[in-house]
Amino acid sequence: MTRIIRVKDVYIGGNHPISIQSMCNTKTTEVEKTIAQIHELEQAGCEIVRLAIPSIEAANALSKIVPSVSIPIVADIHFDYRLALYAMENGVHKLRINPGNIGKKENVIQVVKMAQAYNVPIRIGVNSGSIEPNLQKQYGVSAMAMYLSAKNQIELLEELGFHDICVSLKASNVKLSIEAYELFSQNYDYPLHVGITEAGTLYTGAVKSAVGLGAILSKGIGDTIRVSLSDHPTKEIECAKLILSTLDLRRFNNVKIISCPTCGRTEINLIELANRIENYTKNYNVDMKVAVMGCAVNGPGEAREADLGIAGGKGAGVIFSKGQIIRKVAEDDLFSVFCEEFQKFIYQ
């Protein structure tokens, strides 16, 4: 079991739920836009949000942003240790830094002292693309190089008496990410922030993240996650929730859709129907399972665990619940009748 750190009112590690993170893609200096996006992310289910702090102006903007939102804020710091100091002075709840890239040890000492005074945890962020040159020369771009890079930074903080640490070891290569997280978890009990960095666009990135995060989380590794996508940050939250719920690691109060892939037995336009039903139900805050099946083979029998479902026939279909047929209707009426029964179910 990993250690526990606290980020405002969110606990990471131990037996606490795996928390979901994202990062704003607004300019932090554009305060109103950033606040609006944070509210949007929180509404989508984000539990911790990170902001890029590339300048003093961005660090100072935190003084207006932090009091305007309820979600914990992480400052993403690179190279200039002073930005970490300004961020903490302006109320940030957590730092993401690589102690190795903010200069001499005296700089790290200043950051750590203030983090201790303000009770601000630090995430050591190791990426495969920024491994220390001496480690890369000796080990190449490898899990061992990433692990040793994290180890070096941890020992620096521990030497200063700082243990309020979270670690990430991200790579865009899924296999490398899995190996790095496995190696680290075998040697340390610090909580892990898990992700596949630079995963790609929505479709590609979702698949890569699902494969990588699924493999890592299924081994019991990981305390907080981010799905990194070249898309709107709320898409990252949707993907993260799906990954966690698919692995039964979190339960979210939403409608879960199961649908068959279609085959030569399908006699209705199942693909269109499944998409319409998913779109119709996605905004309902209710914990239930809905099945959209193409024929009798995949109908009420195979999907008997569904709270509500559709099974198609030749130009017609049935609405069923827990394996029991409720109504038989023509294909053109399947969607509208489903909506009626869905409303009855959630308000019964």
Side-chain angles (χ1 to χ4, degrees):
M1 185 180 297
T2 56
R3 304 184 189 195
I4 299 170
I5 65 169
R6 180 180 179 181
V7 185
K8 194 183 178 185
D9 53 359
V10 175
Y11 290 87
I12 298 173
N15 288 321
H16 292 282
I18 297 170
S19 54
I20 297 173
Q21 302 196 28
S22 185
M23 187 172 185
C24 284
N25 60 11
T26 55
K27 301 291 185 186
T28 306
T29 50
E30 296 178 342
V31 172
E32 295 305 319
K33 286 184 179 179
T34 301
I35 291 172
Q37 189 169 91
I38 293 171
H39 286 154
E40 192 176 4
L41 281 164
E42 190 171 15
Q43 185 67 30
C46 183
E47 293 160 326
I48 299 172
V49 67
R50 182 158 45 112
L51 303 181
I53 308 297
S55 65
I56 292 175
E57 292 75 18
N60 288 336
L62 291 168
S63 66
K64 296 179 180 178
I65 295 169
V66 173
S68 301
V69 301
S70 58
I71 193 170
I73 303 296
V74 182
D76 192 75
I77 308 292
H78 291 278
F79 308 119
D80 190 344
Y81 78 100
R82 295 171 300 172
L83 299 178
L85 303 181
Y86 294 136
M88 286 187 281
E89 287 176 350
N90 286 308
V92 78
H93 305 110
K94 182 183 175 186
L95 296 175
R96 186 276 191 187
I97 63 172
N98 184 333
N101 75 8
I102 58 173
K104 53 191 177 181
K105 187 175 180 180
E106 287 77 8
N107 298 345
V108 179
I109 290 172
Q110 288 192 58
V111 172
V112 168
K113 282 185 175 179
M114 184 174 285
Q116 288 170 324
Y118 283 71
N119 293 316
V120 173
I122 293 174
R123 169 158 74 93
I124 295 172
V126 175
N127 278 5
S128 62
S130 56
I131 296 171
E132 295 158 44
N134 62 316
L135 291 175
Q136 186 168 338
K137 183 177 180 180
Q138 185 173 358
Y139 297 99
V141 179
S142 65
M144 180 58 72
M146 294 173 68
Y147 163 72
L148 291 175
S149 181
K151 183 175 185 289
N152 289 343
Q153 308 313 320
I154 288 170
E155 288 176 351
L156 176 57
L157 297 189
E158 288 179 337
E159 182 185 333
L160 299 171
F162 191 84
H163 302 274
D164 203 7
I165 299 168
C166 183
V167 177
S168 63
L169 303 103
K170 296 184 181 181
S172 57
N173 181 291
V174 170
K175 188 171 182 288
L176 177 56
S177 296
I178 296 169
E179 291 172 352
Y181 280 109
E182 284 184 319
L183 180 58
F184 184 90
S185 66
Q186 290 164 6
N187 292 278
Y188 282 102
D189 63 354
Y190 285 113
L192 283 166
H193 172 94
V194 179
I196 306 300
T197 194
E198 301 151 1
T201 54
L202 179 59
Y203 183 79
T204 303
V207 172
K208 284 181 69 174
S209 295
V211 172
L213 289 172
I216 295 164
L217 294 170
S218 66
K219 298 174 186 292
I221 300 169
D223 303 283
T224 182
I225 68 170
R226 180 195 176 189
V227 175
S228 299
L229 300 175
S230 300
D231 210 299
H232 194 279
T234 55
K235 298 294 184 183
E236 298 184 350
I237 307 306
E238 293 175 22
C239 289
K241 291 169 77 172
L242 278 170
I243 291 168
L244 291 174
S245 61
T246 299
L247 291 167
D248 290 327
L249 293 170
R250 291 278 301 269
R251 286 180 64 85
F252 300 99
N253 206 29
N254 56 5
V255 178
K256 298 174 182 64
I257 303 291
I258 58 173
S259 60
C260 72
T262 75
C263 69
R265 291 188 296 267
T266 307
E267 300 285 354
I268 62 171
N269 190 345
L270 185 88
I271 295 173
E272 179 186 358
L273 182 60
N275 279 294
R276 289 184 71 188
I277 288 174
E278 183 174 60
N279 188 60
Y280 176 77
T281 60
K282 70 180 181 180
N283 293 321
Y284 282 89
N285 191 29
V286 57
D287 187 11
M288 66 180 292
K289 183 178 289 186
V290 168
V292 187
M293 300 300 185
C295 69
V297 173
N298 290 332
E302 190 165 315
R304 65 171 55 88
E305 77 279 7
D307 297 298
L308 193 64
I310 289 175
K314 189 169 185 178
V318 297
I319 309 293
F320 62 91
S321 177
K322 297 296 185 181
Q324 301 300 310
I325 294 174
I326 300 172
R327 298 170 69 174
K328 295 182 180 181
V329 294
E331 179 179 359
D332 291 344
D333 298 325
L334 275 173
F335 179 72
S336 61
V337 172
F338 168 84
C339 293
E340 290 175 16
E341 295 299 330
F342 179 81
Q343 294 296 325
K344 289 179 186 177
F345 182 90
I346 63 176
Y347 292 115
Q348 64 185 0

